Amino acid sequence: MSQFLSAIQQFDSISLSQMDSVALLNRFDVKYQLPESKLIEVLQSIIKQYYILEINQSRIHNYNTIYYDTTEDSMYTSHHNGKLNRLKIRKRKYTDSGLAFLEIKRKNNKRKTKKLRMVAENDNELFTSNELDFLKQNTNFDFRLSNSTLPVKNTNSFKRITLVNKDLSERCTIDINVTSFSKNKRVELNSMAIVEVKQSSLMAKTCLTQKLKTIGAQQQGFSKYCIGRAFLEPDLKQNLFKEKLNALKKEFNGNIRLISVTNL
């Protein structure tokens, strides 16, 4: 961790307001999973080409997310089955900035991600009437949206650093210490970094993507919502996730911990 902290302190910083021009709410996403040891090598190689987001003198930021799904788990199932037109609904609290958003994250059949969001009127599990109106206007479910028909299915917490290349055309988020929670269990994904590269065009070559290729990092999807639920709920449909779950267990052997909440 000391090498990681040393590496992130060497980047030039950028503020939230300065980063507005590269929000990339309509974008292409590509994800990678790396051991934290390889992440340090990646960071050290791109220090001069990227800014790091700094908020209140902090460069590592805490996030908490509440995920919603239909009573039949239709959003989870769509992702599991590889459906290209799919969405996720979540409330995300950006703890260090004090912001919370209700977000609809939609992926189309061209693999492009579009995110719609509103400032959340609270950061608890229940939707307000205005939040429900936002969801109704931007989704097309064939049932009446309410707190009972779109219940909470999973929550998570993680730490994130955000990088922006110096021509402001690319963002990268790097998540560590990811922990997912169900009602009576949690799963900790330790020593793993989830790297997500966000660009306006599909996989433009940059020094970051080139470095990831050089160290042998493979592009592969990773949904913190779906993988968290698959680890925590063994009775949930997950046959198409088996290969990924087994690969994660093998690569991060001993660093994926499933813990009963009653043991806390």
Side-chain angles (χ1 to χ4, degrees):
M1 180 60 78
S2 59
Q3 286 182 295
F4 174 73
L5 294 174
S6 175
I8 66 173
Q9 289 303 320
Q10 295 178 58
F11 285 84
D12 294 331
S13 65
I14 190 170
S15 68
L16 266 177
S17 59
Q18 290 172 318
M19 217 171 62
D20 281 348
S21 63
V22 67
L24 290 177
L25 298 181
N26 191 11
R27 70 203 184 211
F28 291 98
D29 301 336
V30 179
K31 294 182 182 178
Y32 306 80
Q33 295 94 61
L34 308 175
E36 285 186 16
S37 56
K38 287 190 175 181
L39 173 62
I40 293 167
E41 179 183 344
V42 172
L43 291 174
Q44 290 172 337
S45 72
I46 61 171
I47 286 169
K48 293 182 179 179
Q49 290 80 29
Y50 287 76
Y51 297 112
I52 191 169
L53 176 63
E54 184 172 301
I55 301 173
N56 298 329
Q57 299 181 322
S58 176
R59 297 182 172 202
I60 305 177
H61 307 120
N62 296 292
Y63 286 60
N64 293 289
T65 312
I66 302 168
Y67 289 99
Y68 302 85
D69 210 328
T70 65
T71 54
E72 299 83 11
D73 295 317
S74 62
M75 287 178 265
Y76 171 91
T77 303
S78 290
H79 194 123
H80 174 274
N81 293 347
K83 186 176 179 180
L84 293 180
N85 285 297
R86 60 180 188 256
L87 58 81
K88 289 191 179 72
I89 294 174
R90 67 194 185 195
K91 274 189 184 180
R92 174 161 286 175
K93 184 175 182 181
Y94 300 74
T95 307
D96 300 278
S97 65
L99 296 173
F101 291 95
L102 172 59
E103 301 179 340
I104 302 170
K105 188 176 181 182
R106 191 184 305 274
K107 181 161 286 190
N108 66 21
N109 58 8
K110 296 181 180 178
R111 302 185 183 276
K112 194 167 190 178
T113 299
K114 184 175 183 179
K115 188 161 70 173
L116 301 172
R117 67 185 187 181
M118 64 170 283
V119 176
E121 295 190 330
N122 61 51
D123 57 9
N124 62 39
E125 295 184 354
L126 296 179
F127 296 120
T128 67
S129 58
N130 288 334
E131 290 171 345
L132 284 170
D133 285 342
F134 168 77
L135 295 174
K136 291 171 186 175
Q137 292 166 13
N138 293 289
T139 60
N140 58 354
F141 292 110
D142 59 0
F143 55 85
R144 183 176 178 273
L145 288 175
S146 70
N147 283 295
S148 59
T149 60
L150 205 63
V152 174
K153 292 299 182 88
N154 184 258
T155 62
N156 72 23
S157 65
F158 56 92
K159 296 182 181 295
R160 169 174 287 183
I161 68 170
T162 300
L163 304 178
V164 183
N165 66 349
K166 290 193 172 179
D167 65 7
L168 303 183
S169 63
E170 175 192 38
R171 287 179 66 175
C172 170
T173 58
I174 301 171
D175 298 339
I176 59 173
N177 295 357
V178 177
T179 302
S180 291
F181 302 87
S182 66
K183 290 183 178 180
N184 57 5
K185 289 185 289 187
R186 74 174 191 242
V187 61
E188 299 176 349
L189 307 181
N190 296 318
S191 300
M192 180 194 307
I194 302 168
V195 179
E196 183 172 3
V197 180
K198 309 174 185 188
Q199 301 171 321
S200 57
S201 59
L202 185 59
M203 285 314 295
K205 290 184 178 180
T206 65
C207 60
L208 172 57
T209 58
Q210 292 294 92
K211 181 62 180 179
L212 289 167
K213 182 178 179 180
T214 298
I215 66 168
Q218 300 294 316
Q219 300 172 27
Q220 48 189 313
F222 190 102
S223 165
K224 289 189 286 292
Y225 169 60
C226 292
I227 295 301
R229 288 197 69 187
F231 272 121
L232 291 165
E233 302 174 56
D235 294 332
L236 197 63
K237 183 179 181 180
Q238 53 184 268
N239 54 300
L240 296 180
F241 287 151
K242 287 289 187 183
E243 183 177 352
K244 176 172 286 297
L245 295 175
N246 290 334
L248 289 171
K249 291 174 184 177
K250 182 178 179 180
E251 183 172 8
F252 299 97
N253 183 34
N255 291 310
I256 295 178
R257 301 176 62 214
L258 189 62
I259 301 169
S260 171
V261 172
T262 58
N263 292 333
L264 297 180

